[in-house]
PDB file of all heavy atoms in Angstrom:
ATOM      1  N   LEU U 204      99.820-155.426  -7.460  1.00  0.00           N
ATOM      2  CA  LEU U 204      99.075-156.541  -6.936  1.00  0.00           C
ATOM      3  C   LEU U 204      98.737-156.379  -5.472  1.00  0.00           C
ATOM      4  O   LEU U 204      97.661-156.685  -4.978  1.00  0.00           O
ATOM      5  CB  LEU U 204      99.859-157.831  -7.156  1.00  0.00           C
ATOM      6  CG  LEU U 204      99.064-159.091  -7.464  1.00  0.00           C
ATOM      7  CD1 LEU U 204      98.206-158.919  -8.665  1.00  0.00           C
ATOM      8  CD2 LEU U 204      99.985-160.288  -7.605  1.00  0.00           C
ATOM      9  N   ARG U 205      99.764-155.866  -4.746  1.00  0.00           N
ATOM     10  CA  ARG U 205      99.565-155.668  -3.305  1.00  0.00           C
ATOM     11  C   ARG U 205      98.398-154.699  -3.039  1.00  0.00           C
ATOM     12  O   ARG U 205      97.627-154.893  -2.099  1.00  0.00           O
ATOM     13  CB  ARG U 205     100.842-155.124  -2.640  1.00  0.00           C
ATOM     14  CG  ARG U 205     101.710-156.264  -2.132  1.00  0.00           C
ATOM     15  CD  ARG U 205     102.859-155.785  -1.352  1.00  0.00           C
ATOM     16  NE  ARG U 205     103.910-155.195  -2.230  1.00  0.00           N
ATOM     17  CZ  ARG U 205     104.530-154.046  -2.000  1.00  0.00           C
ATOM     18  NH1 ARG U 205     104.219-153.359  -0.934  1.00  0.00           N
ATOM     19  NH2 ARG U 205     105.408-153.569  -2.823  1.00  0.00           N
ATOM     20  N   ALA U 206      98.258-153.746  -3.943  1.00  0.00           N
ATOM     21  CA  ALA U 206      97.206-152.749  -3.773  1.00  0.00           C
ATOM     22  C   ALA U 206      95.815-153.386  -3.881  1.00  0.00           C
ATOM     23  O   ALA U 206      94.809-152.813  -3.427  1.00  0.00           O
ATOM     24  CB  ALA U 206      97.350-151.652  -4.832  1.00  0.00           C
ATOM     25  N   LYS U 207      95.767-154.539  -4.493  1.00  0.00           N
ATOM     26  CA  LYS U 207      94.469-155.217  -4.717  1.00  0.00           C
ATOM     27  C   LYS U 207      94.028-155.977  -3.461  1.00  0.00           C
ATOM     28  O   LYS U 207      92.886-156.468  -3.403  1.00  0.00           O
ATOM     29  CB  LYS U 207      94.592-156.192  -5.861  1.00  0.00           C
ATOM     30  CG  LYS U 207      94.584-155.489  -7.223  1.00  0.00           C
ATOM     31  CD  LYS U 207      93.244-154.823  -7.381  1.00  0.00           C
ATOM     32  CE  LYS U 207      92.900-154.495  -8.812  1.00  0.00           C
ATOM     33  NZ  LYS U 207      91.570-153.790  -8.822  1.00  0.00           N
ATOM     34  N   VAL U 208      94.928-156.163  -2.513  1.00  0.00           N
ATOM     35  CA  VAL U 208      94.591-156.958  -1.330  1.00  0.00           C
ATOM     36  C   VAL U 208      94.612-156.095  -0.103  1.00  0.00           C
ATOM     37  O   VAL U 208      95.579-155.341   0.125  1.00  0.00           O
ATOM     38  CB  VAL U 208      95.643-158.117  -1.140  1.00  0.00           C
ATOM     39  CG1 VAL U 208      95.213-159.029  -0.036  1.00  0.00           C
ATOM     40  CG2 VAL U 208      95.862-158.869  -2.454  1.00  0.00           C
ATOM     41  N   SER U 209      93.578-156.138   0.697  1.00  0.00           N
ATOM     42  CA  SER U 209      93.662-155.429   1.981  1.00  0.00           C
ATOM     43  C   SER U 209      93.611-156.440   3.134  1.00  0.00           C
ATOM     44  O   SER U 209      92.781-157.339   3.161  1.00  0.00           O
ATOM     45  CB  SER U 209      92.532-154.417   2.105  1.00  0.00           C
ATOM     46  OG  SER U 209      91.307-155.042   2.217  1.00  0.00           O
ATOM     47  N   PHE U 210      94.573-156.266   4.004  1.00  0.00           N
ATOM     48  CA  PHE U 210      94.696-157.219   5.113  1.00  0.00           C
ATOM     49  C   PHE U 210      94.097-156.641   6.406  1.00  0.00           C
ATOM     50  O   PHE U 210      94.308-155.446   6.713  1.00  0.00           O
ATOM     51  CB  PHE U 210      96.185-157.505   5.345  1.00  0.00           C
ATOM     52  CG  PHE U 210      96.787-158.310   4.226  1.00  0.00           C
ATOM     53  CD1 PHE U 210      97.542-157.682   3.224  1.00  0.00           C
ATOM     54  CD2 PHE U 210      96.648-159.672   4.196  1.00  0.00           C
ATOM     55  CE1 PHE U 210      98.109-158.406   2.172  1.00  0.00           C
ATOM     56  CE2 PHE U 210      97.188-160.426   3.188  1.00  0.00           C
ATOM     57  CZ  PHE U 210      97.925-159.779   2.161  1.00  0.00           C
ATOM     58  N   HIS U 211      93.364-157.486   7.151  1.00  0.00           N
ATOM     59  CA  HIS U 211      92.786-157.051   8.391  1.00  0.00           C
ATOM     60  C   HIS U 211      92.880-158.189   9.408  1.00  0.00           C
ATOM     61  O   HIS U 211      92.807-159.343   9.019  1.00  0.00           O
ATOM     62  CB  HIS U 211      91.342-156.641   8.233  1.00  0.00           C
ATOM     63  CG  HIS U 211      91.218-155.373   7.476  1.00  0.00           C
ATOM     64  ND1 HIS U 211      91.408-154.140   8.052  1.00  0.00           N
ATOM     65  CD2 HIS U 211      90.911-155.138   6.155  1.00  0.00           C
ATOM     66  CE1 HIS U 211      91.258-153.211   7.143  1.00  0.00           C
ATOM     67  NE2 HIS U 211      90.982-153.759   5.963  1.00  0.00           N
ATOM     68  N   SER U 212      92.904-157.783  10.664  1.00  0.00           N
ATOM     69  CA  SER U 212      92.886-158.794  11.686  1.00  0.00           C
ATOM     70  C   SER U 212      91.423-159.132  12.032  1.00  0.00           C
ATOM     71  O   SER U 212      90.599-158.211  12.166  1.00  0.00           O
ATOM     72  CB  SER U 212      93.590-158.195  12.935  1.00  0.00           C
ATOM     73  OG  SER U 212      93.226-158.934  14.068  1.00  0.00           O
ATOM     74  N   LEU U 213      91.129-160.444  12.079  1.00  0.00           N
ATOM     75  CA  LEU U 213      89.779-160.817  12.350  1.00  0.00           C
ATOM     76  C   LEU U 213      89.749-162.209  13.022  1.00  0.00           C
ATOM     77  O   LEU U 213      90.435-163.126  12.573  1.00  0.00           O
ATOM     78  CB  LEU U 213      88.959-160.873  11.021  1.00  0.00           C
ATOM     79  CG  LEU U 213      87.447-161.152  11.115  1.00  0.00           C
ATOM     80  CD1 LEU U 213      86.707-160.431  10.012  1.00  0.00           C
ATOM     81  CD2 LEU U 213      87.145-162.623  11.027  1.00  0.00           C
ATOM     82  N   ASN U 214      88.952-162.301  14.029  1.00  0.00           N
ATOM     83  CA  ASN U 214      88.791-163.605  14.741  1.00  0.00           C
ATOM     84  C   ASN U 214      87.414-164.161  14.385  1.00  0.00           C
ATOM     85  O   ASN U 214      86.414-163.518  14.570  1.00  0.00           O
ATOM     86  CB  ASN U 214      88.939-163.387  16.253  1.00  0.00           C
ATOM     87  CG  ASN U 214      88.898-164.713  17.010  1.00  0.00           C
ATOM     88  OD1 ASN U 214      88.576-165.733  16.437  1.00  0.00           O
ATOM     89  ND2 ASN U 214      89.277-164.619  18.280  1.00  0.00           N
ATOM     90  N   PHE U 215      87.434-165.416  13.883  1.00  0.00           N
ATOM     91  CA  PHE U 215      86.185-166.027  13.480  1.00  0.00           C
ATOM     92  C   PHE U 215      85.208-166.252  14.642  1.00  0.00           C
ATOM     93  O   PHE U 215      84.051-166.529  14.478  1.00  0.00           O
ATOM     94  CB  PHE U 215      86.423-167.332  12.750  1.00  0.00           C
ATOM     95  CG  PHE U 215      87.152-167.191  11.483  1.00  0.00           C
ATOM     96  CD1 PHE U 215      88.318-167.880  11.233  1.00  0.00           C
ATOM     97  CD2 PHE U 215      86.663-166.347  10.477  1.00  0.00           C
ATOM     98  CE1 PHE U 215      89.021-167.705  10.047  1.00  0.00           C
ATOM     99  CE2 PHE U 215      87.368-166.197   9.276  1.00  0.00           C
ATOM    100  CZ  PHE U 215      88.523-166.842   9.064  1.00  0.00           C
ATOM    101  N   MET U 216      85.798-166.204  15.870  1.00  0.00           N
ATOM    102  CA  MET U 216      84.962-166.439  17.015  1.00  0.00           C
ATOM    103  C   MET U 216      84.191-165.174  17.466  1.00  0.00           C
ATOM    104  O   MET U 216      83.329-165.253  18.340  1.00  0.00           O
ATOM    105  CB  MET U 216      85.814-166.957  18.206  1.00  0.00           C
ATOM    106  CG  MET U 216      86.485-168.274  17.939  1.00  0.00           C
ATOM    107  SD  MET U 216      85.295-169.560  17.530  1.00  0.00           S
ATOM    108  CE  MET U 216      84.754-170.006  19.179  1.00  0.00           C
ATOM    109  N   ALA U 217      84.522-164.062  16.868  1.00  0.00           N
ATOM    110  CA  ALA U 217      83.828-162.841  17.212  1.00  0.00           C
ATOM    111  C   ALA U 217      82.370-162.912  16.845  1.00  0.00           C
ATOM    112  O   ALA U 217      81.997-163.534  15.854  1.00  0.00           O
ATOM    113  CB  ALA U 217      84.491-161.633  16.474  1.00  0.00           C
ATOM    114  N   ASP U 218      81.497-162.278  17.614  1.00  0.00           N
ATOM    115  CA  ASP U 218      80.080-162.308  17.357  1.00  0.00           C
ATOM    116  C   ASP U 218      79.740-161.616  16.043  1.00  0.00           C
ATOM    117  O   ASP U 218      78.874-162.066  15.316  1.00  0.00           O
ATOM    118  CB  ASP U 218      79.287-161.621  18.469  1.00  0.00           C
ATOM    119  CG  ASP U 218      79.396-162.377  19.770  1.00  0.00           C
ATOM    120  OD1 ASP U 218      79.634-163.613  19.703  1.00  0.00           O
ATOM    121  OD2 ASP U 218      79.373-161.736  20.861  1.00  0.00           O
ATOM    122  N   SER U 219      80.475-160.570  15.766  1.00  0.00           N
ATOM    123  CA  SER U 219      80.251-159.855  14.533  1.00  0.00           C
ATOM    124  C   SER U 219      81.600-159.622  13.835  1.00  0.00           C
ATOM    125  O   SER U 219      82.603-159.349  14.456  1.00  0.00           O
ATOM    126  CB  SER U 219      79.588-158.514  14.826  1.00  0.00           C
ATOM    127  OG  SER U 219      79.877-157.602  13.800  1.00  0.00           O
ATOM    128  N   PHE U 220      81.569-159.774  12.475  1.00  0.00           N
ATOM    129  CA  PHE U 220      82.839-159.625  11.754  1.00  0.00           C
ATOM    130  C   PHE U 220      83.131-158.183  11.349  1.00  0.00           C
ATOM    131  O   PHE U 220      84.213-157.885  10.868  1.00  0.00           O
ATOM    132  CB  PHE U 220      82.835-160.509  10.495  1.00  0.00           C
ATOM    133  CG  PHE U 220      82.838-162.019  10.789  1.00  0.00           C
ATOM    134  CD1 PHE U 220      82.452-162.911   9.825  1.00  0.00           C
ATOM    135  CD2 PHE U 220      83.250-162.470  12.017  1.00  0.00           C
ATOM    136  CE1 PHE U 220      82.473-164.274  10.084  1.00  0.00           C
ATOM    137  CE2 PHE U 220      83.276-163.840  12.314  1.00  0.00           C
ATOM    138  CZ  PHE U 220      82.902-164.732  11.316  1.00  0.00           C
ATOM    139  N   GLY U 221      82.142-157.342  11.494  1.00  0.00           N
ATOM    140  CA  GLY U 221      82.300-155.956  11.106  1.00  0.00           C
ATOM    141  C   GLY U 221      82.652-155.804   9.645  1.00  0.00           C
ATOM    142  O   GLY U 221      83.482-154.988   9.249  1.00  0.00           O
ATOM    143  N   ILE U 222      81.977-156.613   8.810  1.00  0.00           N
ATOM    144  CA  ILE U 222      82.238-156.523   7.393  1.00  0.00           C
ATOM    145  C   ILE U 222      80.974-156.044   6.691  1.00  0.00           C
ATOM    146  O   ILE U 222      79.864-156.532   7.024  1.00  0.00           O
ATOM    147  CB  ILE U 222      82.618-157.924   6.819  1.00  0.00           C
ATOM    148  CG1 ILE U 222      83.998-158.318   7.359  1.00  0.00           C
ATOM    149  CG2 ILE U 222      82.601-157.960   5.303  1.00  0.00           C
ATOM    150  CD1 ILE U 222      84.384-159.745   7.037  1.00  0.00           C
ATOM    151  N   ARG U 223      81.106-155.149   5.704  1.00  0.00           N
ATOM    152  CA  ARG U 223      79.911-154.648   5.073  1.00  0.00           C
ATOM    153  C   ARG U 223      79.705-155.278   3.708  1.00  0.00           C
ATOM    154  O   ARG U 223      78.603-155.396   3.225  1.00  0.00           O
ATOM    155  CB  ARG U 223      79.953-153.112   4.940  1.00  0.00           C
ATOM    156  CG  ARG U 223      79.119-152.406   6.015  1.00  0.00           C
ATOM    157  CD  ARG U 223      79.369-150.919   6.040  1.00  0.00           C
ATOM    158  NE  ARG U 223      80.720-150.634   6.433  1.00  0.00           N
ATOM    159  CZ  ARG U 223      81.568-149.828   5.761  1.00  0.00           C
ATOM    160  NH1 ARG U 223      81.152-149.257   4.687  1.00  0.00           N
ATOM    161  NH2 ARG U 223      82.794-149.656   6.190  1.00  0.00           N
ATOM    162  N   ASP U 224      80.815-155.770   3.099  1.00  0.00           N
ATOM    163  CA  ASP U 224      80.700-156.306   1.747  1.00  0.00           C
ATOM    164  C   ASP U 224      79.896-157.601   1.713  1.00  0.00           C
ATOM    165  O   ASP U 224      79.826-158.309   2.673  1.00  0.00           O
ATOM    166  CB  ASP U 224      82.079-156.590   1.163  1.00  0.00           C
ATOM    167  CG  ASP U 224      83.015-155.388   1.409  1.00  0.00           C
ATOM    168  OD1 ASP U 224      83.493-155.269   2.577  1.00  0.00           O
ATOM    169  OD2 ASP U 224      83.231-154.688   0.461  1.00  0.00           O
ATOM    170  N   ALA U 225      79.412-157.907   0.491  1.00  0.00           N
ATOM    171  CA  ALA U 225      78.812-159.228   0.249  1.00  0.00           C
ATOM    172  C   ALA U 225      79.731-159.878  -0.763  1.00  0.00           C
ATOM    173  O   ALA U 225      79.820-159.488  -1.928  1.00  0.00           O
ATOM    174  CB  ALA U 225      77.416-159.086  -0.319  1.00  0.00           C
ATOM    175  N   PHE U 226      80.443-160.912  -0.332  1.00  0.00           N
ATOM    176  CA  PHE U 226      81.458-161.538  -1.187  1.00  0.00           C
ATOM    177  C   PHE U 226      80.900-162.469  -2.212  1.00  0.00           C
ATOM    178  O   PHE U 226      79.867-163.117  -1.987  1.00  0.00           O
ATOM    179  CB  PHE U 226      82.502-162.258  -0.290  1.00  0.00           C
ATOM    180  CG  PHE U 226      83.293-161.283   0.499  1.00  0.00           C
ATOM    181  CD1 PHE U 226      82.970-161.056   1.826  1.00  0.00           C
ATOM    182  CD2 PHE U 226      84.388-160.608  -0.048  1.00  0.00           C
ATOM    183  CE1 PHE U 226      83.689-160.146   2.596  1.00  0.00           C
ATOM    184  CE2 PHE U 226      85.098-159.715   0.700  1.00  0.00           C
ATOM    185  CZ  PHE U 226      84.764-159.483   2.034  1.00  0.00           C
ATOM    186  N   ASP U 227      81.598-162.503  -3.371  1.00  0.00           N
ATOM    187  CA  ASP U 227      81.178-163.450  -4.419  1.00  0.00           C
ATOM    188  C   ASP U 227      81.884-164.805  -4.261  1.00  0.00           C
ATOM    189  O   ASP U 227      81.401-165.834  -4.751  1.00  0.00           O
ATOM    190  CB  ASP U 227      81.582-162.838  -5.795  1.00  0.00           C
ATOM    191  CG  ASP U 227      80.889-161.540  -6.000  1.00  0.00           C
ATOM    192  OD1 ASP U 227      79.668-161.528  -6.033  1.00  0.00           O
ATOM    193  OD2 ASP U 227      81.588-160.515  -6.112  1.00  0.00           O
ATOM    194  N   ALA U 228      83.002-164.766  -3.551  1.00  0.00           N
ATOM    195  CA  ALA U 228      83.698-166.059  -3.280  1.00  0.00           C
ATOM    196  C   ALA U 228      84.456-165.898  -1.979  1.00  0.00           C
ATOM    197  O   ALA U 228      85.014-164.822  -1.692  1.00  0.00           O
ATOM    198  CB  ALA U 228      84.665-166.390  -4.398  1.00  0.00           C
ATOM    199  N   VAL U 229      84.417-166.979  -1.202  1.00  0.00           N
ATOM    200  CA  VAL U 229      85.198-166.966   0.053  1.00  0.00           C
ATOM    201  C   VAL U 229      86.129-168.172   0.042  1.00  0.00           C
ATOM    202  O   VAL U 229      85.691-169.298  -0.245  1.00  0.00           O
ATOM    203  CB  VAL U 229      84.253-167.017   1.274  1.00  0.00           C
ATOM    204  CG1 VAL U 229      85.091-167.169   2.547  1.00  0.00           C
ATOM    205  CG2 VAL U 229      83.391-165.779   1.362  1.00  0.00           C
ATOM    206  N   PHE U 230      87.357-167.917   0.246  1.00  0.00           N
ATOM    207  CA  PHE U 230      88.352-169.016   0.417  1.00  0.00           C
ATOM    208  C   PHE U 230      88.565-169.218   1.940  1.00  0.00           C
ATOM    209  O   PHE U 230      89.183-168.366   2.579  1.00  0.00           O
ATOM    210  CB  PHE U 230      89.655-168.677  -0.292  1.00  0.00           C
ATOM    211  CG  PHE U 230      89.599-168.969  -1.741  1.00  0.00           C
ATOM    212  CD1 PHE U 230      88.773-168.205  -2.561  1.00  0.00           C
ATOM    213  CD2 PHE U 230      90.336-169.980  -2.344  1.00  0.00           C
ATOM    214  CE1 PHE U 230      88.703-168.483  -3.939  1.00  0.00           C
ATOM    215  CE2 PHE U 230      90.296-170.227  -3.677  1.00  0.00           C
ATOM    216  CZ  PHE U 230      89.444-169.521  -4.481  1.00  0.00           C
ATOM    217  N   PHE U 231      87.987-170.306   2.418  1.00  0.00           N
ATOM    218  CA  PHE U 231      88.051-170.586   3.853  1.00  0.00           C
ATOM    219  C   PHE U 231      88.714-171.991   3.974  1.00  0.00           C
ATOM    220  O   PHE U 231      88.043-172.956   4.249  1.00  0.00           O
ATOM    221  CB  PHE U 231      86.621-170.592   4.385  1.00  0.00           C
ATOM    222  CG  PHE U 231      86.558-170.764   5.908  1.00  0.00           C
ATOM    223  CD1 PHE U 231      87.426-170.138   6.762  1.00  0.00           C
ATOM    224  CD2 PHE U 231      85.575-171.570   6.463  1.00  0.00           C
ATOM    225  CE1 PHE U 231      87.360-170.322   8.135  1.00  0.00           C
ATOM    226  CE2 PHE U 231      85.485-171.773   7.819  1.00  0.00           C
ATOM    227  CZ  PHE U 231      86.385-171.121   8.669  1.00  0.00           C
TER     228      PHE U 231
END
Side-chain angles (χ1 to χ4, degrees):
Chain U
L204 213 59
R205 269 187 286 135
K207 284 296 200 182
V208 187
S209 68
F210 290 98
H211 290 281
S212 161
L213 185 147
N214 186 347
F215 295 124
M216 297 303 279
D218 293 333
S219 153
F220 292 162
I222 291 173
R223 259 170 295 129
D224 313 76
F226 292 98
D227 300 298
V229 174
F230 279 66
F231 184 41

